Amino acid sequence: MSRHPFATDAYEAGFVTGIREDCSLQTNALRNVDVPILMLDNDFKNPDLQRYLSRFREIEPEIGVVGDARSADEAHIFVEEARKLKTEYQDSTLIIVPKCHEAIDIIGSADVPGTEIVLGYSMGYSDILASDFSDYSDWRGRRVHLLGASPTKQWEVIQQLTSPTLFGDPPADIVGLDWNGAHKVAYMGESWSRAGWQRSDHLSIRETVKKSLREMRLFWKERGVWPREGTTPVDRLGEAVQMPDDEVFANGMHISEAGDYEGPDDWEDRLDPEDDETIPLEHATVHQYTDGSIRAFRSETERAYIEYHEGLITP
């Protein structure tokens, strides 16, 4: 949950992408990029329920963190609003975050249309953590989403909430987890790995984040937590960055040169790793033509040149 280019890379790696209600993915200026907003978080430091609900209906995400319930009264209010949302978006996964012990049962036992409300287990940098007001046993037998913290810490909590106990407590149903720490720590020159944090001063910020994403994906795959093949957002919805049919642009060569690169991936590998905060393809001018092709150009001048010489017509 961040912005371009981090969110773009995460989506293409198979992760769910999202934003906080007061943010954006910052892709409006990129003519060739379309990253879906699949999760909408609330601004727990400056909450406004009506603002959040308005944003939810505007974006219509698959997952929504409706709010943080710091009291039983707040829990009832959030449940009622979630019930209304469920009548409109029955397939959406709605999360309410208990910030007091009483809220756990109010949220967990709520009767709503469609799937049950999910309890948000606060970790990471939240002002009130789940461990501050509850025990692991309070969360067992419920649908839970882990909010924040690194994969290793999340895995520890998953084991605590799902492993067999001497008392025969039912396991929690861990329906999801999220973390946006990889890009924050990248600015301090570190990447996350299965072996712990590593110095990555030799990499750009973007490459540092991508390295963390690769390690996170491998970490969850090793534990059987990664989604089944063909079910990740990019599998279901398609690529975020639209690739052109025009090999001239894809190769990054001058329009008068044939070039010898195999495609965009090969070209990207040849970029200066110290200057890769944006891939030129993401800034392309993209057009579809009557012959069915979709071509991307580095500039309107290049587009006009190729259209004239190849007789391309825009539908």
Side-chain angles (χ1 to χ4, degrees):
M1 299 176 65
S2 182
R3 59 177 176 83
H4 177 79
F6 312 121
T8 308
D9 293 334
Y11 174 79
E12 294 189 331
F15 292 88
V16 169
T17 47
I19 58 172
R20 202 173 63 191
E21 59 177 292
D22 58 329
C23 301
S24 74
L25 291 176
Q26 300 181 22
T27 58
N28 291 341
L30 303 173
R31 294 161 292 193
N32 202 28
V33 179
D34 183 16
V35 182
I37 299 175
L38 302 176
M39 180 174 178
L40 184 66
D41 199 1
N42 76 93
D43 183 3
F44 72 87
K45 291 185 177 180
N46 181 31
D48 185 318
L49 180 57
Q50 295 308 312
R51 182 186 65 211
Y52 178 86
L53 296 173
S54 176
R55 192 86 165 111
F56 185 99
R57 291 185 170 93
E58 173 192 343
I59 295 175
E60 299 184 339
E62 295 180 357
I63 305 166
V65 186
V66 179
D68 294 18
R70 301 170 183 273
S71 66
D73 289 341
E74 284 192 346
H76 285 296
I77 292 172
F78 287 130
V79 166
E80 181 58 30
E81 293 301 332
R83 184 178 291 114
K84 294 176 184 177
L85 279 180
K86 273 291 188 178
T87 62
E88 302 174 57
Y89 308 97
Q90 289 198 15
D91 294 333
S92 293
T93 298
L94 299 183
I95 302 167
I96 300 176
V97 187
K99 289 293 181 73
C100 66
H101 192 273
E102 297 82 0
I104 297 176
D105 189 59
I106 294 171
I107 299 165
S109 61
D111 181 22
V112 298
T115 56
E116 299 173 24
I117 296 176
V118 176
L119 293 166
Y121 189 96
S122 54
M123 301 174 66
Y125 69 96
S126 175
D127 56 339
I128 301 176
L129 304 178
S131 57
D132 293 337
F133 60 86
S134 65
D135 297 320
Y136 292 125
S137 58
D138 298 318
W139 302 82
R140 296 183 68 102
R142 305 184 186 277
R143 302 182 76 223
V144 176
H145 177 100
L146 305 183
L147 293 158
S150 66
T152 46
K153 293 180 180 179
Q154 290 175 334
W155 181 241
E156 291 174 4
V157 172
I158 289 175
Q159 291 176 302
Q160 292 288 347
L161 296 180
T162 61
S163 298
T165 69
L166 294 175
F167 302 101
D169 297 324
D173 179 10
I174 309 297
V175 302
L177 50 87
D178 69 81
W179 182 48
N180 65 356
H183 78 279
K184 294 180 179 179
V185 181
Y187 282 102
M188 295 184 282
E190 292 188 339
S191 63
W192 186 87
S193 79
R194 290 164 289 170
W197 291 101
Q198 297 181 343
R199 295 301 304 175
S200 299
D201 298 309
H202 61 294
L203 298 174
S204 68
I205 299 298
R206 185 173 190 175
E207 282 300 320
T208 301
V209 176
K210 289 174 75 172
K211 182 179 179 181
S212 294
L213 291 171
R214 289 192 292 270
E215 284 290 309
M216 290 161 59
R217 182 171 58 188
L218 287 171
F219 179 88
W220 292 118
K221 281 187 173 182
E222 289 173 351
R223 288 154 180 77
V225 176
W226 192 256
R228 298 186 307 276
E229 185 176 353
T231 64
T232 64
V234 68
D235 292 328
R236 295 186 289 110
L237 304 174
E239 298 290 336
V241 180
Q242 186 158 23
M243 295 295 178
D245 293 336
D246 177 29
E247 66 175 15
V248 172
F249 184 90
N251 288 345
M253 302 296 292
H254 188 275
I255 56 178
S256 63
E257 298 174 349
D260 62 352
Y261 297 166
E262 295 180 359
D265 291 337
D266 185 36
W267 173 56
E268 181 181 347
D269 290 341
R270 302 179 187 222
L271 292 175
D272 180 358
E274 299 301 323
D275 186 27
D276 67 346
E277 293 308 301
T278 57
I279 297 176
L281 179 59
E282 296 167 4
H283 294 271
T285 297
V286 182
H287 291 276
Q288 182 171 4
Y289 297 92
T290 52
D291 63 1
S293 66
I294 300 174
R295 303 194 179 205
F297 308 95
R298 288 166 293 190
S299 67
E300 288 294 338
T301 301
E302 180 179 75
R303 174 194 167 196
Y305 180 96
I306 293 178
E307 285 182 342
Y308 175 77
H309 286 276
E310 297 190 18
L312 296 171
I313 302 174
T314 303

